[in-house]
Amino acid sequence: MLTVVVADDEAPAVEELAFLLGRDARIGTVLRASSGAQALHAIENSDVDAVFLDIHMPALSGLDIARALARKERPPAVVFVTADEDHALAAFELAALDYLLKPVRQERLNESVRRISDALAGPGMDSEGDVVTVVQGATTRMIRREDIRYVQAQGDYARLHTADTSYLVRIPLAELEAQWADAGFLRIHRSYLVARSQITQVRLSAGRASIRIGAEELPVSRRHLPTVRSTLASGRVRPTA
């Protein structure tokens, strides 16, 4: 059962969305907020799974709240609710899980709740960890681990990079590191986990190190450099100046 916050400076909009959410069996508690400050207060004082934010609120807008939440160690999922599409790009740059247009339809809201549930469950993996199930909007994709070149940390999320695109999943990088160590993935930096088979070059220059994967050059931290060098030396990828 999910606990969610509905924030909108228009009381009828709050009540309408709270009513629709209450009809979904996956929703346990709906907390109401008539301002950004009230929304932040509710989030700080309750175990909130998701927050439905109106973008156009005085003082603290929905975007302001999302930026504040992005600094939290474990932020709730963010869903924007608005009457226009002008801020869609900004919303998704803030890793919003969904973007609902008013008036909100029950079917569309149910889909948003499903996305929240899937995100909280994290990415699905088969028993061997060879396939990652990624939910993108209304689409579910099966990503083969062997197609993943490197993984980039983004807070409590991780972005899986393939040759063509990337996928955001709700799982910490440290957890993937532990699960995929035996599958040829190597931690090179606090923000990067890479597939050893995809590394084409290791560079050392002026005390700094980096590795190249395709056209991408990724930093190697001093902490991880000894392990990277010894591991890649055994695989015949030699550092160059």
Side-chain angles (χ1 to χ4, degrees):
M1 301 287 282
L2 302 174
T3 297
V4 302
V5 173
V6 174
D8 197 308
D9 62 317
E10 297 182 358
V14 172
E15 292 305 321
E16 174 66 15
L17 190 55
F19 171 75
L20 295 176
L21 285 166
R23 298 174 66 179
D24 192 309
R26 293 166 292 189
I27 301 296
T29 303
V30 179
L31 303 175
R32 296 162 171 81
S34 60
S35 68
Q38 285 187 11
L40 289 176
H41 179 78
I43 293 166
E44 290 296 332
N45 291 276
S46 303
D47 188 9
V48 174
D49 298 302
V51 54
F52 290 80
L53 296 172
D54 178 37
I55 287 182
H56 301 291
M57 291 187 290
L60 286 174
S61 70
L63 295 174
D64 293 331
I65 297 170
R67 293 187 186 100
L69 295 178
R71 295 191 289 267
K72 293 175 64 69
E73 183 177 352
R74 293 189 177 276
V78 172
V79 176
F80 287 108
V81 185
T82 182
D84 61 67
E85 301 180 4
D86 294 345
H87 297 282
L89 178 59
F92 285 106
E93 286 177 345
L94 289 169
L97 194 64
D98 209 348
Y99 193 91
L100 301 179
L101 290 176
K102 297 178 181 178
V104 179
R105 295 180 293 107
Q106 182 76 63
E107 296 79 7
R108 183 65 180 84
L109 183 60
N110 292 345
E111 170 63 17
S112 188
V113 174
R114 182 192 66 77
R115 295 182 189 185
I116 294 168
S117 298
D118 289 343
L120 291 175
M125 297 187 188
D126 66 359
S127 59
E128 300 298 325
D130 295 330
V131 176
V132 182
T133 302
V134 178
V135 178
Q136 286 191 310
T139 303
T140 300
R141 299 182 182 276
M142 308 296 286
I143 311 302
R144 295 185 303 174
R145 184 171 57 192
E146 65 188 58
D147 292 333
I148 298 171
R149 291 183 165 192
Y150 67 93
V151 186
Q152 182 180 8
Q154 293 190 345
D156 285 337
Y157 293 78
R159 185 169 291 278
L160 313 178
H161 290 264
T162 65
D164 303 318
T165 188
S166 65
Y167 305 91
L168 191 66
V169 294
R170 191 181 177 91
I171 185 170
L173 190 66
E175 188 170 332
L176 285 177
E177 178 187 10
Q179 293 181 13
W180 291 359
D182 294 336
F185 279 78
L186 175 66
R187 189 71 172 263
I188 65 167
H189 188 276
R190 66 179 182 180
S191 297
Y192 293 102
L193 178 70
V194 303
R196 291 198 302 253
S197 62
Q198 298 288 341
I199 298 174
T200 57
Q201 187 181 46
V202 182
R203 299 187 64 183
L204 298 175
S205 176
R208 300 177 62 182
S210 63
I211 61 101
R212 183 170 288 277
I213 295 180
E216 299 287 339
E217 188 166 352
L218 306 177
V220 177
S221 69
R222 290 186 178 182
R223 173 188 173 190
H224 292 93
L225 182 57
T227 301
V228 171
R229 295 185 69 171
S230 62
T231 301
L232 296 183
S234 63
R236 299 181 181 178
V237 179
R238 303 292 183 179
T240 60

